[in-house]
């Protein structure tokens, strides 16, 4: 539940696309507080596990960083087992009293899979090689799915174009992108 003493923070669109052996996660840079843009160049996409895993986050920044740190520890515990690390993180997130209060979502990927990890215990793998989270996530997801199925564009081009479409529609999304790629 959002703290009523603080304004609601918006402003994240994170999109993952996997196509032809290439995985891309793209994130916009906008952070908004209420109707005000606070920052336009936030970096919400990271590389983990020595460059073998990508992670993007939506939600409260400090909460997301806490989750990313926990995910990195799980990846050290279970090297090259992204799904197992994410399931273990989701289990901890759901059962640990401190972690349960964290308000964020993670989109993580390695060479083989894309996973969405939530605080309610979900670890979801998309059926179509595309996943998105955040305020503009559904716009980016719809655009990426259309481009994926009906063009020969590569994963990065699809991600960039879909994020541009989301930025044109969602007031909490901008065109200042961070894009990370795994071959």
């Amino acid at each position: 539940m959002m703290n009523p003493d603080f304004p609601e923070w918006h402003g994240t669109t994170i999109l993952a696309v996997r196509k032809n052996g290439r995985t891309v996660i793209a994130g916009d840079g906008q952070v908004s507080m209420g109707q005000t843009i606070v920052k336009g160049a936030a970096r919400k996409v990271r590389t983990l596990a020595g460059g073998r895993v990508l992670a993007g986050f939506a939600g409260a920044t400090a909460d997301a960083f806490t989750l990313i740190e926990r995910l990195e520890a799980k990846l050290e515990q279970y090297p090259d087992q992204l799904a197992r690390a994410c399931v273990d993180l989701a289990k901890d997130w759901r059962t640990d009293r401190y972690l349960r209060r964290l308000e964020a979502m993670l989109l993580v990927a390695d060479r083989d899979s894309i996973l969405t990890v939530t605080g309610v215990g979900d670890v979801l793998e998309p059926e179509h090689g595309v996943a998105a989270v955040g305020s503009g996530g559904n716009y980016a997801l719809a655009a990426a799915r259309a481009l994926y199925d009906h063009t020969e564009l590569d994963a990065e081009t699809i991600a960039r174009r879909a994020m541009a479409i989301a930025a044109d529609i969602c007031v909490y999304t901008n065109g200042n992108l961070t894009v990370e790629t795994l071959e």
Side-chain angles (χ1 to χ4, degrees), residues 4-5 8 12 25 28 49 57 70 79-80 89-90 101 109 116 126-128 140 152 160 164 166:
D5 297 330
E8 191 169 347
T12 301
I25 294 186
D28 79 312
F57 64 86
R70 295 275 182 134
D80 299 321
L89 173 66
R101 299 181 194 275
T116 303
E127 293 179 340
H128 303 286
E152 295 302 316
R160 288 182 181 279

Side-chain angles (χ1 to χ4, degrees), residues 12 14 25-27 44-46 54-58 64 68 105-109 133:
T12 301
I14 305 294
I25 294 186
K44 305 171 202 169
V45 178
R46 305 272 190 267
L54 303 176
F57 64 86
I68 286 174
M105 290 181 75
L106 297 178
L107 197 54
V108 298
V133 296

Side-chain angles (χ1 to χ4, degrees), residues 13 18 31 36 62 75 85 88 90 102 115 118 130 133 145 149 156-157 175:
T13 301
R18 179 167 163 59
V31 176
T36 304
L75 289 167
D88 215 38
L102 300 182
L115 300 169
T118 73
V130 179
V133 296
R145 289 275 306 271
D149 292 336
E156 183 173 342
T157 304

Side-chain angles (χ1 to χ4, degrees), residues 5 10 15 29 59-60 70 72 89 98 103 112-113 129 182:
D5 297 330
H10 289 283
L15 173 67
R70 295 275 182 134
E72 283 186 298
L89 173 66
Y98 167 73
E103 296 180 7
D112 301 316
S113 60
L182 294 174

